[in-house]
Amino acid sequence: MSGFDPAWLDLREPADHAARSAEVLAAVASDFADLEEVVVADLGCGSGSTLRAVAPHLGARQRWRLIDHDPALLAHARARLSAWADVATDDGGELRLTRGGQEIAVETFALDLAADPLPAPARLADLVAASALFDLVGDGWLRDFVGALAATRRPLYAALSYDGSTRFAPAHPSDLAVIAAFNRHQQTDKGFGPALGPAAAETLARLLRAQGSETVEGASPWRLGWAETELTGELVAGMARAVADLPDAPAGLDGWLAFRTEFAGVRAEVGHLDVYARPPR
């Protein structure tokens, strides 16, 4: 799996936090409200954004296991979390955070999820979480992951999986062709086999239900306006780079990018789906 730019992760975090489905997050919070301490494993943790979004909805004592293949991202996550906390103690081992009356212990693990979809630190967690991960994985990997979840009876909170729907305003004649091409690129191999891309979230929910899990699902679209101009600009540039890599890139891509870059006030909506799955009792 290729790495992600920490600057991109930091830029998208406010939009990610605003987009998360309140209904799905409330279901997660309700199920873990009575635990004295909740242990959460965050797969593909990136900058630690999932912890910052979810921890305020959980109890006073938490233990997070942040798992990512990239040691540099894990170091970035520790720094971001230390700055986010009211008090942080980081001796290079367990990171201990205090924020808003909550005590949060954080461990980091540099592990390759492509080799092991549900590594040991996640297998005994109370909750497995992942954000913006499953649209990167292939069908075989996802089936292995869901099978491991079922075998260990772990609940899953999977947020912000891209669903293939992107809309811009003002419109451009090439929008549909560029978005379709971008969605094709989303199905190329990201390190986990040919990716499911926009089909990932619905496939994940279906596989979980087939294993007997009860799912709570909710839309979590980015809604980007004037305040998110920088993020929209990076989104557009990233889409153009991805589409340009395709052998069948649509004609007019340069004109589309120039138009989108010129209109700094462009509005965009990018669809995602959140899924929470409770294992069968």
Side-chain angles (χ1 to χ4, degrees):
M1 178 181 173
S2 59
F4 285 91
D5 182 358
W8 164 251
L9 298 179
D10 291 345
L11 180 61
R12 66 174 286 172
E13 181 166 321
D16 283 342
H17 286 198
R20 287 177 184 267
S21 166
E23 177 185 3
V24 175
L25 192 50
V28 175
S30 176
D31 280 5
F32 294 95
D34 296 332
L35 283 188
E36 182 177 343
E37 180 182 69
V38 60
V39 180
V40 184
D42 182 12
L43 305 181
C45 68
S47 68
S49 180
T50 298
L51 187 158
R52 290 187 288 277
V54 176
H57 300 271
L58 299 176
R61 291 181 56 199
Q62 302 173 35
R63 180 172 294 277
W64 284 71
R65 298 167 179 170
L66 304 187
I67 300 169
D68 202 285
H69 78 293
D70 186 346
L73 270 181
L74 291 171
H76 181 66
R78 294 177 77 100
R80 285 290 317 274
L81 289 166
S82 295
W84 169 80
D86 298 328
V87 179
T89 303
D90 188 356
D91 60 5
E94 184 177 87
L95 173 63
R96 303 195 66 83
L97 309 174
T98 302
R99 180 180 166 96
Q102 294 177 310
E103 299 291 334
I104 305 170
V106 180
E107 300 169 277
T108 52
F109 300 86
L111 297 171
D112 182 6
L113 294 175
D116 186 355
L118 193 67
R123 289 177 178 263
L124 296 178
D126 299 309
L127 173 66
V128 177
S131 300
L133 171 66
F134 293 104
D135 43 33
L136 304 176
V137 308
D139 184 77
W141 187 97
L142 192 64
R143 290 178 184 275
D144 289 345
F145 172 75
V146 171
L149 276 182
T152 55
R153 300 179 62 81
R154 297 300 95 191
L156 172 69
Y157 172 51
L160 299 165
S161 296
Y162 176 58
D163 69 4
S165 63
T166 301
R167 291 181 289 276
F168 293 102
H172 185 274
S174 295
D175 281 344
L176 292 180
V178 171
I179 292 164
F182 176 72
N183 288 346
R184 292 197 302 276
H185 186 275
Q186 291 298 99
Q187 296 175 307
T188 58
D189 193 335
K190 307 298 190 298
F192 300 90
L196 286 161
E202 290 187 359
T203 302
L204 173 63
R206 175 172 50 79
L207 292 174
L208 289 164
R209 289 193 296 269
Q211 292 282 3
S213 292
E214 174 191 356
T215 63
V216 181
E217 301 166 36
S220 52
W222 280 356
R223 293 189 174 97
L224 310 180
W226 283 101
E228 294 80 27
T229 295
E230 185 180 1
L231 175 59
T232 305
E234 288 297 322
L235 169 68
V236 165
M239 290 179 68
R241 287 193 298 270
V243 170
D245 283 343
L246 295 173
D248 59 345
L253 179 61
D254 289 344
W256 178 85
L257 178 59
F259 177 85
R260 289 271 160 251
T261 303
E262 179 182 356
F263 284 91
V266 66
R267 299 186 304 280
E269 181 169 310
V270 181
H272 304 98
L273 184 68
D274 293 358
V275 177
Y276 172 52
R278 303 180 180 101
R281 296 188 174 128

